[in-house]
Amino acid sequence: MIELDGVPELIDPVMVAAFEGWNDAGDAASTAVAHLDREWKGEVFAALDAEDYYDFQVNRPTVWLDGGVRKITWPTTRLSVVRVGGDKPRDLVLVRGIEPSMRWRSFCNELLGFAHELGVELVVILGALLGDTPHTRPVPVSGVTSDPDLARTMDLEETKYEGPTGIVGILQEACTHAGVPAVSLWAAVPHYVSQPPNPKATLALLNRLEDLIDLRIPLGELPEDARAWQLGVDQLAAEDSEVAEYVQTLEEARDTAELPEASGEAIAREFERYLRRRDGGNGPAATAPGLTTDAGEAAYLRESPSERTRPPRPQRAADGAEAREGDGPAAEAKGPSGERRAPSGEEPPGADPEDGSSGDGPERKTD
């Protein structure tokens, strides 16, 4: 039995999890959970034993100095709890770690043990994968579940994916078999700019999470960081005519595919988000209706202080470079430099390998 000394009784708790590695393109998912932990000042109450799940030659420990004393931080998965105030207070259990190297079933069972002891009502797992999506458009975020009833009640897709999977897929199935409602939210990261950070994808995941659990999330400087990231990629693309032409091809395919999506339902969703931000508790000022995109990225109307630190501009990958394995479930389709792509059957909207763009992009050049 799991002992939880010092953890108070939780109110309508939801577990939100993300794991670095194969399911975390651009570090978008793990950064989203880190943002929640930082904004709401999460308190760590448990950590899984690193010896049980990690290969330290793959995920090495780090040494650091604390007042002249050398200390070691071991790669692991930590659980923290945050209480969100307001008219309807509730608690979040945040799970943040690294995809384990071994014993995945035991890993999932241990997390489910915590969920059971804490009375978790819903598990939401965040992931990010590489896709044929332009950086200039809203980040596609899809919500999937293995539970047909949950898919109907929460307006989610019932996953039909078949093929290799990561810890996100394994944990979702473990939750389903244990009778714990579970949802995965996947953000599509442009495969031609897959290196971290990707604040725009992180922002899209948080907005989708906000809609899913009906909870206002303080965004801090994420909207401004997302704007800076997009401007940086714009400049990078403008320096290479082949990349610019490829981005334009992706834009045209995306716009054609999403033309019917400009529906009353999308407008209603944006208005609900505006009302939530206007009437919510602590956090940044509300955004007026019409100033957010259909995927939830906040509009960029603020002046940027010159002293604000920007995320580094993405660097162009070398020919033949292997993409970071953060693209979610394994994909067999190859991009312009051979990186894995989102698999058919579990892609966010707009990442369609059948639209002719898969693998037809320009070859990237070394700087």
Side-chain angles (χ1 to χ4, degrees):
M1 182 176 175
I2 296 174
E3 298 292 339
L4 295 175
D5 295 334
V7 179
E9 184 175 349
L10 303 185
I11 302 173
D12 301 330
V14 173
M15 179 177 280
V16 181
F19 304 95
E20 298 174 22
W22 202 61
N23 299 129
D24 194 22
D27 289 353
S30 58
T31 303
V33 173
H35 176 87
L36 297 176
D37 191 77
R38 181 173 60 252
E39 290 292 325
W40 280 321
K41 298 178 174 57
E43 296 183 9
V44 175
F45 64 88
L48 305 191
D49 191 339
E51 292 278 350
D52 291 340
Y53 305 114
Y54 295 102
D55 179 345
F56 298 138
Q57 288 182 319
V58 176
N59 297 291
R60 292 187 177 274
T62 56
V63 180
W64 55 287
L65 292 175
D66 181 15
V69 179
R70 294 176 68 82
K71 295 189 176 181
I72 298 176
T73 299
W74 297 92
T76 188
T77 294
R78 294 178 173 83
L79 292 86
S80 58
V81 63
V82 299
R83 173 152 293 177
V84 184
D87 295 336
K88 296 180 180 179
R90 78 179 313 169
D91 294 306
L92 297 183
V93 178
L94 305 179
V95 180
R96 183 184 173 209
I98 305 169
E99 182 177 67
S101 307
M102 63 195 79
R103 303 182 68 228
W104 284 19
R105 285 175 291 188
S106 298
F107 180 87
C108 292
N109 287 337
E110 190 164 353
L111 291 180
L112 284 170
F114 282 107
H116 175 74
E117 292 296 324
L118 294 168
V120 167
E121 299 178 346
L122 175 69
V123 176
V124 182
I125 315 165
L126 307 183
L129 45 74
L130 301 181
D132 289 322
T133 181
H135 72 278
T136 54
R137 296 295 185 265
V139 176
V141 178
S142 61
V144 297
T145 180
S146 301
D147 185 337
D149 295 331
L150 197 62
R152 285 191 297 270
T153 57
M154 302 191 76
D155 192 24
L156 302 167
E157 301 173 34
E158 187 178 353
T159 179
K160 303 295 184 184
Y161 172 72
E162 295 179 327
T165 188
I167 194 61
V168 171
I170 298 299
L171 180 56
Q172 178 167 314
E173 289 306 305
C175 290
T176 300
H177 293 156
V180 179
V183 174
S184 295
L185 299 181
W186 288 95
V189 172
H191 65 85
Y192 56 89
V193 58
S194 60
Q195 63 274 17
N198 191 320
K200 187 173 180 179
T202 295
L203 181 61
L205 280 170
L206 290 174
N207 280 325
R208 186 70 171 87
L209 176 65
E210 183 180 71
D211 293 341
L212 183 72
I213 63 177
D214 193 24
L215 189 68
R216 185 189 179 198
I217 297 174
L219 299 178
E221 295 187 355
L222 262 179
E224 197 67 28
D225 292 341
R227 174 180 178 271
W229 177 87
Q230 180 165 326
L231 290 175
V233 181
D234 285 342
Q235 294 170 8
L236 187 64
E239 295 171 1
D240 190 316
S241 60
E242 291 185 2
V243 173
E245 183 179 348
Y246 181 56
V247 171
Q248 184 178 2
T249 301
L250 293 179
E251 290 173 341
E252 292 171 354
R254 173 77 178 274
D255 294 344
T256 300
E258 293 199 343
L259 191 60
E261 294 297 321
S263 63
E265 182 180 348
I267 295 172
R269 187 165 55 246
E270 286 304 313
F271 190 68
E272 287 173 1
R273 183 179 293 126
Y274 158 69
L275 291 177
R276 182 164 51 243
R277 293 199 173 281
R278 185 193 67 179
D279 300 332
N282 296 328
T287 303
L291 298 187
T292 59
T293 67
D294 57 359
E297 288 91 358
Y300 309 121
L301 300 182
R302 291 186 291 168
E303 292 292 325
S304 359
S306 57
E307 67 274 9
R308 176 165 291 159
T309 302
R310 298 293 189 200
R313 197 175 92 174
Q315 300 296 315
R316 194 179 297 120
D319 285 355
E322 185 175 314
R324 171 185 172 83
E325 287 198 339
D327 53 348
E332 297 306 320
K334 301 293 184 180
S337 294
E339 67 267 30
R340 284 196 247 238
R341 202 71 59 76
S344 175
E346 195 158 304
E347 297 152 351
D352 184 4
E354 301 300 326
D355 65 2
S357 62
S358 187
D360 293 333
E363 234 179 280
R364 284 171 284 182
K365 302 176 183 178
T366 54
D367 289 326

